[in-house]
Amino acid sequence: MSDDNGDRERRDGTESEARRRFLKLAGVTGTAGAAGIVGSNGVLSALAAEGDGDDEGVEIEDLQGQMPIENRYLRIAVLAAAKAAQLHQNYFGKIGEAEEKDPQNLLTEVDTEAETLIRDTIREELGDDFEDENHALYGEEQGGQLEGGYVWIIDPLDGTTNFSKGIPHFGVNIAVTKDGELYAGVMYYSLRDEVYVAVRDEGAYKFRSDGYDLVAEDSEPTELSVTDTEVIEDSFHGVGFYLKETADDYDYMGLWRYLFAYTQGTRLLGAAAPDLAFVAEGVFDTVSVKDLKPVDVAPEALLVREAGGTVTDFDGNTDLDSILEGSVVASNGELHDDFFNLLEDSGKDWLTRPIDTLER
């Protein structure tokens, strides 16, 4: 079979199905409606223009009773994140170029289009309440303000470098603060349609979406819980180095060398949001990330805490302002002191000494 035929099969099959999923999620009634929904956004308009006229335009069912936590703002956050994730799925593997904000920080058109889609969804769902309740938006690409009665902290594509390089580890991050405290959070793990959610004092959960319903019919939400690992030698860690300046942080780099040698291992996966969510799920015992932004860490701070873990900055502070500085340690709680004891003992000599001499 020729390459042209193969391309046509993909267009008529996988890509058409992905497009239908997106248009259903957006509540579109046909191609003309798609153009109206997505407006002039480049990627979204291109997606709508590919329509073949057979989209049924099924809107999302009322979510009452489906979500593991019934909360208006959480529902809106999940809806917005799901739309952005569908955009990721449609264009994963097809974005050949990425703008370089700096060598460790790439930007694609999907980042900017997904953020616009999220912002528009939040405003549409809230309606007049957006102004009446003093809501504010703060996004990775479009900025905004971090002050208001409710603040929506948005990362439309956490793990852009992974996304642009074809590595399937990235997600959508949305947090909501209320009166200066974390209130609700969502991390949508895009390619797996796995959704991590939390509301303050109501726990943290994971469920699966399917592009038609935000909670798939066969998905049973699971309450999240951190691990009960108590011994550092039995632990498993995620680490995050995202700026070249981190390489001069000898304490942290030395600690990483110790964890690499004397625990079950470390992983640098390239996307802080899903990495941190894995602490809430009990995959990692700790995840530490340095020099990030509020959008990278805000939802996960709530997820981990609601799952029974501990989240601080690298000085041990727990307040929101400190967390939003973007350098955080998330753990199962049991190992938090051990992590900081090792960090205190570490230093430049931990990078140069033979590894066997670091055993404690």
Side-chain angles (χ1 to χ4, degrees):
M1 183 176 294
S2 70
D3 289 343
D4 288 344
N5 286 338
D7 288 342
R8 185 157 50 251
E9 280 189 2
R10 284 190 290 273
R11 284 196 299 271
D12 294 342
T14 303
E15 292 183 19
S16 293
E17 175 62 17
R19 183 176 65 253
R20 279 193 290 271
R21 292 176 67 193
F22 176 82
L23 295 174
K24 285 175 181 289
L25 190 59
V28 174
T29 56
T31 304
I37 286 286
V38 301
S40 60
N41 297 339
V43 172
L44 300 182
S45 293
L47 177 64
E50 293 174 1
D52 53 16
D54 63 354
D55 299 300
E56 298 175 13
V58 178
E59 295 192 14
I60 296 173
E61 297 288 337
D62 181 71
L63 297 178
Q64 189 70 29
Q66 295 182 13
M67 297 281 286
I69 306 171
E70 283 301 328
N71 179 280
R72 181 192 186 194
Y73 307 110
L74 180 67
R75 180 187 68 80
I76 293 172
V78 173
L79 174 62
K83 290 183 179 182
Q86 290 299 313
L87 196 60
H88 297 176
Q89 292 180 16
N90 275 283
Y91 284 89
F92 180 62
K94 303 174 188 176
I95 301 296
E97 296 181 359
E99 177 185 341
E100 186 176 286
K101 293 191 283 189
D102 56 63
Q104 288 82 34
N105 196 359
L106 301 182
L107 172 68
T108 71
E109 187 179 5
V110 173
D111 294 77
T112 54
E113 300 291 4
E115 183 167 324
T116 297
L117 182 59
I118 291 170
R119 287 171 174 264
D120 289 348
T121 299
I122 293 168
R123 286 182 174 275
E124 290 166 5
E125 291 293 318
L126 286 171
D128 291 341
D129 287 342
F130 187 89
E131 301 294 340
D132 294 344
E133 296 178 349
N134 189 25
H135 288 259
L137 304 176
Y138 179 88
E140 165 82 357
E141 310 306 337
Q142 299 178 31
Q145 62 184 52
L146 286 168
E147 295 182 358
Y150 294 88
V151 179
W152 298 72
I153 303 174
I154 303 161
D155 190 342
L157 174 50
D158 183 84
T160 299
T161 300
N162 282 355
F163 175 83
S164 65
K165 301 295 185 182
I167 299 171
H169 182 65
F170 50 84
V172 185
N173 241 17
I174 302 177
V176 184
T177 69
K178 180 180 180 181
D179 299 326
E181 297 293 337
L182 287 169
Y183 179 67
V186 174
M187 198 291 291
Y188 196 117
Y189 198 22
S190 300
L191 293 187
R192 297 185 63 170
D193 281 324
E194 293 174 347
V195 190
Y196 298 74
V197 299
V199 172
R200 189 173 67 218
D201 298 328
E202 296 193 45
Y205 294 83
K206 174 185 173 182
F207 58 89
R208 189 175 57 80
S209 180
D210 65 4
Y212 296 93
D213 303 297
L214 285 190
V215 181
E217 291 184 2
D218 60 348
S219 177
E220 184 68 31
T222 302
E223 187 167 10
L224 299 178
S225 179
V226 297
T227 70
D228 58 4
T229 306
E230 297 180 352
V231 180
I232 197 75
E233 289 77 14
D234 296 334
S235 57
F236 186 49
H237 306 268
V239 294
F241 316 134
Y242 295 97
L243 293 179
K244 66 180 180 181
E245 288 78 9
T246 308
D248 287 332
D249 188 335
Y250 300 128
D251 294 342
Y252 185 43
M253 297 300 288
L255 170 62
W256 169 79
R257 188 168 181 245
Y258 181 94
L259 295 176
F260 170 78
Y262 292 112
T263 70
Q264 289 187 354
T266 62
R267 296 293 183 270
L268 175 57
L269 301 180
D275 290 1
L276 289 162
F278 289 170
V279 176
E281 190 177 5
V283 176
F284 285 127
D285 296 296
T286 80
V287 166
S288 51
V289 295
K290 295 279 287 189
D291 304 314
L292 293 178
K293 300 175 182 178
V295 298
D296 299 309
V297 300
E300 288 71 35
L302 185 63
L303 280 166
V304 173
R305 288 170 176 171
E306 289 296 319
T310 300
V311 182
T312 70
D313 70 3
F314 271 71
D315 293 319
N317 299 310
T318 61
D319 62 283
L320 181 60
D321 287 343
S322 297
I323 297 301
L324 295 185
E325 288 294 319
S327 294
V328 302
V329 179
S331 79
N332 65 356
E334 296 286 347
L335 296 174
H336 216 77
D337 288 343
D338 291 320
F339 181 96
F340 278 99
N341 288 338
L342 288 168
L343 185 64
E344 184 176 356
D345 290 344
S346 182
K348 191 172 185 178
D349 68 317
W350 278 34
L351 295 173
T352 57
R353 285 163 49 188
I355 193 67
D356 289 344
T357 68
L358 295 186
E359 192 167 8
R360 301 170 72 244

